[in-house]
Structure formats: C-alpha cells, structure tokens
Amino acid sequence: MQFGHFDDAAREYVITRPDTPLPWINYLGNEEYFAIVSNTAGGYSFFRDPRLRRLTRYRYNNVPLDSGGRYLYVRDDDTGDFWSPSWQPTKGDLDEYTCRHGLGYTIIESQRAGIDVETLYFVPLGETLELWRTRVVNQRDTPARLSLFSAVEFCLWDALDDATNFQRNFSVGEVEVEDGVVYHKSEYRERRDHFAYFGCSEAPVGFDTQSDAFLGPYRGWDRPLAVEEGRSRDSIAHGWAPCGSHHLQLELEPGEARELVFVLGYAENPHDAKFDPPGSQTIDKSRVLPILARYREPAEVEAAFVRLRDYWTDLLGGLQATTPNEHVNRMVNVWNQYQCMVTFNLSRSASLFESGIGRGMGFRDSNQDLLGFVHLAPARARERVLDLAATQLPTGGAYHQYQPLTKRGNDAIGSGFNDDPLWLILATGAYVKETGDVSILQEPVPYDNEEGSETPLYEHLQRALQYTLDRLGPHGLPLIGHADWNDCLNLNCFSETPGESFQTTYREGGSAESVFIGGLFVLAADELAAIAERLGDDPEAAAYVAAGELMSGTVRAQGWDGEWFRRAYDNAGEPVGSSANDEGQIFIEPQGLCVMAGVGVDDGLAARALTSVRERLATKHGIVLVQPAYTRYHLELGEITSYPPGYKENAGVFCHTNPWIVIAETLVGNGDAALDYYLRTNPSSREEISELHRCEPYVYAQMIAGADAPTHGEAKNSWLTGTAAWNLVAITQWILGIRPEHDGLRIDPCLPADWDGFTAERDFRGATLHITVHKQPGTRGRVSSLVVDGERIAGNVVPVQPAGSVVEVVAEIEADGAARTDGRVELGGAHQGP
Ligand code: BGC
Ligand code: NOJ
C-alpha cells in the first residue's frame, strides 16, 4: 500500500493522504536557517544550531505525534466551521489533500467546503527566514466570508532548557507587536542579541502572542478558542508561552483568489546597537523592516522561489543518470543527492528521531557524509574538511563530535573512538579527487582549534594514520578504543550500571582490537599514498603503501575466521564475530570494509566472505549487521547486546553498511548481486510496502528491522544517516562506475547482466561529460574500449578536460561470459522473512 507517489518530472514526492504511518518530513533551508516540515505542517525552525538557536517549539515524543508546527486555521465566518488546511492540528475532514515535498520546499494543498487553500513553505536562498505563501480560492458559487489565523509557538532559544527549566522560563517570555508584526524577544534584554519576527503581507485585524490567550484554558492547538470564536485576543505575552498568531479576514467572491505571505525570520543586531532608541528596551528593527517590505511583494516571493528551483536544477545537473531501472534513476538524480545535502548540513542533529539537542556534528559521520556531497558544493566541502581537521588533537586522534555554533570539539563525549581520524583521510581524498585542488593539503590548520598549533592539512592526515600505528594491540591489529564505526560494540566498557552511557564509559588500558579498523586503515593508507604521490612525495607514498600491505597481511593472518573476516578481539583477547562464538558469529562491517580495501580480493578470501554474507546475513529487506543476533546482555560487548534481537546494531539491517557490500560485490565483479542488494534498501523500490516500511519512501532510514525482529522490514530513523552518502557512492561510483580519481574520471561500470548499458551526465572539474555505456543484455563484463570525443584512449580513465568543454564519452563493455544468475541473489535459508 502507498500513501502517495513520485512526480519525477517535478522532482517531488506527492503525498495523497495526511495520515501517513509516521510524519513524512522535508527540510527547508541550506545554509544557516533550517526548518523541518512534515506533511501536515508540523516541525520546527532553527538558526544554525537546533539546540541553542531554536525559533519554534516542538514537542518530541508527544501524543499524537508531530505537535507544533506552522499552522493555519480557516474559519467560515458565516457558519463558524473551522479547520486546518494541513489537516493537523484540527484533523477535520478534508475533501482533497496533497502534500508535495520538493527540493527545499513543501506545498500543502487542500479543499474543504469549496475553499481551496494552498501553502508553499520555503527558505529563500541566502536568507535567515522562511516564507509561507498561502493562496485561498473560493470555489463556491456564493461569496465567502473567511477568517484565516496563523500560529507558531516560540521556543525560548535553548531547546533543552526550554523543555526542562519551567521555574525560570515561565517568567522570561517577552514580545513586541508593531504594525501587525510579532517580535519574539525573550532574553533580548540581557545577553542575547537575536530575536525572531513573524509578519504577514496583509494587515491583520487582530493578533495573539500568549498561547494561553489564543488557545483558551485547557485547550490544545486542535481547538483554539480564538479560532472557534473568530476573534483574536490581542494578547501580549508576559512570561508563560509566547506565540505568534495573526487574524486575517477575507471576503472572497465566487472564484476569487487571494494570496498572503507570512514571513517567519531570525535576526541579529550588533550588541551595542540593539535597542531603538538607545537606552530603551525596544528592539532596533531597522534591519528587519526592509526584509518584511520585500516579501510583501508577490513578485519577490515568486522570484525567490524560482531561484531556489533553479539552484537545485543546477546542482543536480552535475550528476544525472538514465538507466533501465527507475528506482536507480530517481534516487540518483533527485532524492539521494538531496538527502546527501541534508546529512552534510545537519549531520545527525535534527530530525524526527534526532531531537536536535543531544548531538553535534559527528567526526566520522561528517567525513562520510562528505563522500556523497563533495560534487554538489566543493567549496563548502573544503571548508568542512578544514573545520573537521581543526578538531583533531595533536596525537592525530579526534574529538568524536563538534558543536555547529562554535566549531569546537565536544568535551562531553571526548575522543578515543579509534576509527575517527582515518575517515578524514578518505574525505580529503574524495575532495581532492573531485576538484583537483591540492592546495587544501597545504592549508594551515590548528589542532583542537588552538591558535599557534597550525600545521598543513597534509600533516593532519599523516598524524591520523600514525594514530592507528601508535595504537596496535596484542594481535598487531588496531586498538578499538571506545568503539569504532559500530558505536555499540563497546569492548572496553563493562558497564553494569543502568543508564550509564555506553559511549563514554571506558575501562582504561583496554586492549580490545578491531579488524574493521584494520580494513579501514588499509583503505586510508592507500588513499594517503595516492595523495602523497600527487604531491610528489614518493618516499612517503611508498611508506604508506608498505604500511597498508603490512596491515592487510595482519588482517588476513589474525582477522580471518575461515569463511569470513572476524570483527574484533575483545579485552580478554577472545575473538568477536567468529564461528567460535555462540552468538554474534559474523558481522557485516569487516566483510564490507576489508573487501573494499582490497584485502583478500586476489586470493579468494573476499569472494568467500561475500558468500558468507549471502548465506548468513542477507534478507529480502537488506543485509543484517550480525548473526546470530544477541539474545542476552554481554558485559564484555556492550550496547550492541542491549538491543532486542533484530533492532539497531543487534542484527537490524543497519542500512549504512549495505552499500559497503554493494561496493565489495563490484570489486569481485558481481554486478547482479551488487544491484540486487542496492535495491533491497532503496526507498523508492520499497514504496509499495510503505505500510510495513513506515518511513518516507524518498529517503533512506538508518535501520530496517532485521529478520529476528517481530517487525521485520519496518524502517526507523529516516534522513540523518551515512546510508545516504554511501549509497550514492555505491551506485554512481561502483555500479555505474563513474569514479573521480586524481588523474581523471574513471569509467568502470559493473552492471547487472540484464542491463543494456546506461547514459549519464557528469560535471567534472569544470567540464561536462556525456557518458554512454553500451553492453549486450544477458552478458557480464567490464569496459574494453573508451572513446572520448571520437578518439579511442587507452585504459578507462577520461583525462581531465578543459574547463567549460562538453565532451562525449562512449564506453563499450565486452562480454566475458554469460550471466550466471537471473539477477537475483539467493537468500540464506534462515532469513527469507515474512
Ligand atoms: C546507537 C548508535 C549511535 C550511538 C551514538 C547508540 O544508541 O545505537 O547507532 O551511533 O548511540 O550516539
Ligand atoms: C550512528 C552513528 O551516527 C554513527 O557514527 C555510527 O557509525 C553508527 N550509528 C553505527 O553505530
């Protein structure tokens, strides 16, 4: 069952009923002002930091779900009937309803009793505000007398404090209302120099700024008294819960349409010029009034919307593919790239599953997010690499997270996640290969943001690699520290206290080792070797190649279990992820990473490991993280065993890891398996099971419940996941095989047998490449000839083309045999699922 459909031409997902299994959200804003908006207008807005600069209030974990939003109420002033055109919060019946989530905008349109209301929500490029453009049309054949009420509830800026510190907060709320514009200025009198404003393009007949007055006693947002009675209270908030509401009256002839624009914005004033007149307590509004005036003009609003649409057309135009599979096309061309922008912007901070309070920008997360983002806005990626490197410590280690507002490392979580620094090498490599900009390697970057400690970025990368070499354990494998990529494999934690954080509890001197970091190290050493070579530093390059080979040997000698790669050694030196274990015998992560690093590709270990993945971990809803699932708490393993079987890291389909197996399959030449696995978690290909999947069908979720879970196939934690970046890399760089390298763009597809090729457009270092790949259906093989603008070239790397040029690239795939399968991969017997 579906709750909507893709409109591919418009690049929208069209939701056709409001009661989706979960709120299906979208993101507005790209740089500083961000907003979450659900298909029923729920969600909240913030400036840069969702915890410290939250504009509007949102109640997570509320019933019903999704309380707090950008609400409108329509009231028929002749009958007293009122409703929300976005369904929530009144949830009154609508005769028609659609929600179109597009790229950076959402349009909710509905009709009731012959009144059509369509609201477009978006954040104009370069602004710190959001616009709601509302069009009301009277489709009746009689005149309509209507009231329209707007409503937002303000958050008192710090979202955590706002949700907990009532003894103070009920007394600090302050507002001003001037010319119908509501200004929220709690704490502006003291240290804050910022405020929010909420205006409308038409003069309201009334307003409210105190939630209690608007709602009436013991009422919720579903039944505000002001709306029921058709009369605002003109309330001024003194403490309690400041809100912003306008009351507009519209008289519409049959067929008549009216357009109104609401502006909700964030503004800052210079600290010593924030009051007008100086010495008063009144906000200086001189910076905001011109903005309000601008968006009173419908033409300005339309132009800003056109600019936003053009911006996305332009951005996505740099990478487009037409393949025989619509789920591939739609995700690659639109939604997966879009999600990569969102994860790049917000890391794991604000979604319906991340409260915007707990976590800053993750070090490993942001480095991986960058892999799927770098082609979209390389200048922003460059800045991100440098920001991340500046939170590295002199040891080469890194803060696990940094705060978006200050860009400083987060002391609360600290350092010691021993995979972290290696991801910086992969991110930097991706940036340099995409752009050719080697100058970044010479940029002076401090450690721990300490002025005076700068070294070139290149040295940061060298120290990152050295960090691993300085921390090898008894088997010669990297020490895991607090945890590696799998935050829940806490091998040096031993927590027996309920509620204690698995992330920070740590037994000093822990000697647990990670095979996964071994594989990651090999990958990073190769990447750094290529960078060193690029810089002409041949001795260093040779040293990194040698270090990688040594580690690869250690992984093969100490990390191979017989049929797959082991996961780790625990603090007592016992293997984890081995047939010697009774639970948790095989983990997905080392199979993916070690094969991606080339470990065992030449001697058959890689192929054997992937067979084990197929036999033991693959389900029809994706590949689970571990098998058999842990059924009880293991003190020596930590949080992974805290989850019931089939959820999260304990044998859920932890989607982030699936593209690693996709890539690994291409490395052993199995395009059928690669595409098959890719499609199992592809949200578009799961659209038809939306009732089971429950999350949005246009973006990846972090997890799909595994075969051990009663809810096998149900997704959770959509949007903010490294799954987005890795899937884009897997499908575009490894299955389609269009892969940036230092010397050019490699064209190395590994396609499923039944495809006859594909075409793609790829901007690369200022040139536009039109790529056509031909293949005989029913065959498998790799590129045998590459023709660039009519000229056959050796190998399969298109050399860097002059900026501005448009180049035709034609690749032929020569059959090296008939297809071995019908395109499906056999599932392991135990995991067919429902
Ligand atoms: C989750 C992990 C996450 C970790 C860090 C755990 O509860 O299961 O996926 O990485 O928290 O916040
Ligand atoms: C989510 C975290 O954000 C990420 O850093 C981690 O690698 C995965 N969970 C796996 O535990």
Side-chain angles (χ1 to χ4, degrees):
M1 179 178 167
Q2 296 184 194
F3 295 81
H5 56 265
F6 287 90
D7 181 340
D8 292 324
R11 296 188 305 229
E12 292 173 338
Y13 192 81
V14 187
I15 301 168
T16 48
R17 47 186 288 181
D19 55 341
T20 44
L22 291 167
W24 283 2
I25 69 164
N26 193 12
Y27 286 84
L28 314 179
N30 245 349
E31 278 154 70
E32 297 196 296
Y33 186 101
F34 294 97
I36 291 176
V37 58
S38 76
N39 58 308
T40 59
Y44 59 98
S45 306
F46 56 94
F47 173 76
R48 283 177 52 191
D49 187 322
R51 169 166 172 193
L52 298 176
R53 289 282 194 283
R54 196 175 294 195
L55 270 85
T56 56
R57 188 172 278 167
Y58 190 76
R59 291 181 177 76
Y60 277 97
N61 209 4
N62 206 350
V63 279
L65 269 180
D66 204 21
S67 289
R70 302 170 184 81
Y71 294 139
L72 294 172
Y73 302 85
V74 181
R75 181 176 189 275
D76 186 327
D77 287 337
D78 287 320
T79 63
D81 178 36
F82 68 91
W83 68 94
S84 307
S86 59
W87 192 59
Q88 286 243 67
T90 66
K91 291 197 282 293
D93 290 342
L94 298 171
D95 302 327
E96 284 169 24
Y97 160 92
T98 54
C99 167
R100 296 178 160 267
H101 282 319
L103 307 181
Y105 68 90
T106 286
I107 302 172
I108 301 179
E109 182 178 7
S110 68
Q111 197 184 104
R112 167 155 158 158
I115 304 299
D116 228 17
V117 183
E118 180 200 273
T119 305
L120 160 70
Y121 298 96
F122 72 104
V123 175
L125 295 172
E127 299 274 29
T128 61
L129 57 85
E130 64 189 66
L131 299 178
W132 317 355
R133 179 175 74 188
T134 300
R135 285 185 176 142
V136 186
V137 188
N138 176 13
Q139 305 281 19
R140 301 172 181 169
D141 44 22
T142 53
R145 287 196 318 122
L146 305 172
S147 279
L148 185 70
F149 292 87
S150 63
V152 295
E153 192 181 4
F154 291 110
C155 178
L156 304 182
W157 303 115
D158 178 339
L160 179 60
D161 191 68
D162 183 71
T164 47
N165 191 9
F166 307 109
Q167 59 80 23
R168 170 180 163 84
N169 293 343
F170 285 165
S171 294
V172 300
E174 286 192 302
V175 298
E176 288 175 28
V177 181
E178 203 176 290
D179 294 332
V181 180
V182 175
Y183 296 86
H184 173 230
K185 59 165 192 177
S186 298
E187 296 186 344
Y188 188 76
R189 58 167 52 247
E190 30 117 354
R191 292 154 297 174
R192 293 189 187 275
D193 303 329
H194 51 261
F195 59 93
Y197 56 94
F198 186 35
C200 178
S201 56
E202 297 215 3
V205 296
F207 63 85
D208 273 299
T209 67
Q210 180 62 276
S211 300
D212 259 9
F214 178 68
L215 298 175
Y218 293 91
R219 283 172 174 245
W221 296 94
D222 57 331
R223 228 162 38 97
L225 196 57
V227 176
E228 195 173 287
E229 294 181 351
R231 182 176 61 84
S232 288
R233 271 43 182 179
D234 293 351
S235 57
I236 296 291
H238 302 287
W240 299 115
C243 69
S245 172
H246 309 94
H247 177 196
L248 290 312
Q249 281 177 337
L250 315 175
E251 297 202 2
L252 299 180
E253 291 303 316
E256 192 183 344
R258 255 313 240 295
E259 186 175 297
L260 301 108
V261 178
F262 296 91
V263 186
L264 173 63
Y266 169 92
E268 283 175 2
N269 271 335
H271 185 65
D272 47 9
K274 60 190 222 179
F275 298 113
D276 177 28
S280 75
Q281 292 289 302
T282 310
I283 302 172
D284 182 330
K285 307 183 179 75
S286 56
R287 285 170 191 80
V288 163
L289 294 178
I291 300 174
L292 285 164
R294 177 176 336 137
Y295 292 116
R296 232 165 254 142
E297 300 299 324
E300 289 282 350
V301 176
E302 181 60 24
F305 185 50
V306 169
R307 273 197 297 277
L308 178 69
R309 297 212 65 165
D310 290 349
Y311 164 82
W312 273 106
T313 304
D314 196 45
L315 266 192
L316 298 180
L319 175 58
Q320 292 286 297
T322 308
T323 79
N325 188 296
E326 67 165 345
H327 306 300
V328 171
N329 298 346
R330 152 185 306 155
M331 290 310 291
V332 167
N333 296 338
V334 184
W335 294 99
N336 195 356
Q337 293 197 66
Y338 183 56
Q339 190 178 358
C340 285
M341 170 68 89
V342 174
T343 57
F344 177 86
N345 285 335
L346 298 177
S347 188
R348 308 293 171 265
S349 64
S351 71
L352 286 195
F353 301 85
E354 302 282 7
S355 65
I357 288 174
R359 299 163 76 183
M361 308 290 284
F363 190 90
R364 78 159 82 86
D365 294 332
S366 291
N367 277 306
Q368 291 172 84
D369 293 342
L370 192 138
L371 305 178
F373 171 84
V374 59
H375 67 288
L376 286 172
R380 291 187 65 200
R382 187 181 205 273
E383 188 188 340
R384 178 63 55 80
V385 168
L386 299 174
D387 285 348
L388 285 162
T391 65
Q392 222 183 335
L393 300 162
T395 56
Y399 278 100
H400 195 48
Q401 292 168 8
Y402 75 91
Q403 296 310 122
L405 213 52
T406 61
K407 296 190 173 176
R408 292 206 148 243
N410 179 353
D411 286 318
I413 178 118
S415 169
F417 293 76
N418 283 351
D419 62 318
D420 272 338
L422 295 172
W423 298 108
L424 180 66
I425 300 175
L426 299 194
T428 309
Y431 170 78
V432 176
K433 288 189 284 193
E434 179 68 41
T435 59
D437 169 21
V438 285
S439 77
I440 192 174
L441 297 158
Q442 306 308 340
E443 281 288 336
V445 183
Y447 295 87
D448 195 4
N449 280 295
E450 285 297 331
E451 216 175 294
S453 65
E454 290 81 0
T455 70
L457 175 66
Y458 181 49
E459 188 174 330
H460 281 253
L461 306 186
Q462 294 174 303
R463 292 196 198 184
L465 207 66
Q466 190 60 40
Y467 178 85
T468 306
L469 294 176
D470 290 344
R471 287 166 185 74
L472 298 179
H475 296 85
L477 288 164
L479 291 174
I480 202 167
H482 283 252
D484 62 23
W485 173 88
N486 189 334
D487 275 337
C488 295
L489 196 59
N490 315 115
L491 303 180
N492 301 309
C493 175
F494 300 96
S495 176
E496 290 186 280
T497 308
E500 193 170 60
S501 163
F502 288 107
Q503 302 296 304
T504 50
T505 306
Y506 182 69
R507 186 185 283 180
E508 283 307 325
S511 62
E513 297 161 279
S514 165
V515 177
F516 174 86
I517 301 183
L520 179 61
F521 178 90
V522 177
L523 200 58
D526 283 352
E527 193 75 62
L528 192 56
I531 289 173
E533 216 173 277
R534 190 86 198 142
L535 293 177
D537 191 350
D538 291 341
E540 283 293 308
Y544 301 138
V545 169
E549 278 170 3
L550 196 65
M551 184 65 78
S552 173
T554 308
V555 167
R556 280 203 300 272
Q558 306 290 341
W560 183 249
D561 195 61
E563 294 184 37
W564 58 79
F565 292 101
R566 291 181 175 171
R567 181 63 178 82
Y569 286 94
D570 70 16
N571 197 36
E574 297 298 328
V576 178
S578 156
S579 56
N581 303 115
D582 59 343
E583 304 190 319
Q585 294 180 336
I586 172 171
F587 282 68
I588 190 173
E589 307 100 292
Q591 323 314 325
L593 247 287
C594 293
V595 177
M596 281 164 67
V599 182
V601 169
D602 294 336
D603 57 15
L605 297 192
R608 184 69 197 89
L610 292 172
T611 301
S612 297
V613 168
R614 193 165 312 146
E615 289 168 353
R616 290 166 183 265
L617 300 177
T619 79
K620 67 176 180 182
H621 294 296
I623 313 167
V624 299
L625 191 143
V626 63
Q627 278 295 298
Y630 294 103
T631 57
R632 59 190 169 84
Y633 181 57
H634 294 247
L635 182 66
E636 76 288 5
L637 301 179
E639 184 170 0
I640 186 169
T641 65
S642 75
Y643 288 113
Y647 292 109
K648 295 280 287 185
E649 282 87 344
N650 187 14
V653 176
F654 210 94
C655 298
H656 186 135
T657 60
N658 278 229
W660 293 344
I661 300 298
V662 170
I663 296 170
E665 288 287 2
T666 67
L667 284 164
V668 300
N670 195 350
D672 288 305
L675 187 78
D676 183 8
Y677 285 143
Y678 167 82
L679 289 174
R680 290 186 203 192
T681 58
N682 177 304
S684 163
S685 72
R686 299 175 60 77
E687 185 193 19
E688 59 187 32
I689 53 164
S690 287
E691 231 175 336
L692 173 64
H693 184 80
R694 299 191 75 209
C695 282
E696 297 91 335
Y698 40 91
V699 289
Y700 288 96
Q702 183 199 58
M703 192 224 18
I704 298 172
D708 299 282
T711 57
H712 187 33
E714 179 191 55
K716 283 188 194 137
N717 202 355
S718 52
W719 282 98
L720 301 182
T721 161
T723 311
W726 276 111
N727 269 305
L728 193 70
V729 168
I731 184 70
T732 61
Q733 299 189 16
W734 296 94
I735 295 181
L736 303 184
I738 303 173
R739 201 153 66 238
E741 293 192 352
H742 289 294
D743 296 326
L745 195 64
R746 190 177 291 277
I747 312 291
D748 182 26
C750 179
L751 303 179
D754 59 357
W755 281 22
D756 59 356
F758 67 91
T759 60
E761 264 196 56
R762 177 66 154 93
D763 290 350
F764 185 65
R765 304 202 196 165
T768 299
L769 279 65
H770 293 167
I771 302 164
T772 306
V773 174
H774 293 299
K775 177 177 147 313
Q776 281 296 318
T779 64
R780 324 166 82 239
R782 301 307 267 255
V783 165
S784 57
S785 106
L786 194 66
V787 176
V788 178
D789 265 350
E791 239 174 83
R792 172 102 188 233
I793 60 166
N796 61 358
V797 178
V798 182
V800 176
Q801 302 294 310
S805 59
V806 179
V807 180
E808 297 296 326
V809 176
V810 181
E812 300 288 341
I813 292 186
E814 193 180 350
D816 66 6
R820 285 199 299 247
T821 69
D822 62 359
R824 292 291 298 177
V825 175
E826 291 297 309
L827 297 173
H831 300 296
Q832 297 291 340

